[in-house]
């Protein structure tokens, strides 16, 4: 089962990562959070983004939607 894992880092901040069912890390938070609830809110934002537009930039600088 895929998981969002919330943990406290060595810096004392809360971090999270998304781990796929095969145990591989897919992505993680780009920053640590002093407040646990802020880290949880960041997870919720990531979870809600599954409908976000998917775009790719071509060599000429233009952006195109894919998928």
């Amino acid at each position: 089962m895929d998981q969002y894992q919330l943990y406290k880092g060595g810096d004392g901040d809360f971090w999270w990562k998304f781990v796929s069912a095969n145990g591989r890390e897919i992505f993680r938070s780009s920053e640590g959070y002093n407040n646990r609830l802020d880290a949880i809110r960041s997870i919720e934002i990531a979870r809600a983004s599954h409908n976000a537009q998917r775009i790719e930039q071509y060599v000429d600088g233009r952006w195109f939607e894919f998928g």
Side-chain angles (χ1 to χ4, degrees), residues 41-56:
R41 177 68 183 131
S42 177
I43 291 171
E44 295 306 317
I45 290 169
R47 290 181 67 203
S49 71
H50 70 276
N51 287 327
Q53 185 181 22
R54 295 168 181 92
I55 59 172
E56 176 181 3

Side-chain angles (χ1 to χ4, degrees), residues 21-39:
N22 66 6
R24 293 186 179 180
E25 182 181 314
I26 305 300
F27 57 90
R28 63 175 50 229
S29 57
S30 60
E31 62 182 302
Y33 298 88
N34 292 320
N35 184 314
R36 180 178 173 271
L37 293 178
D38 289 338

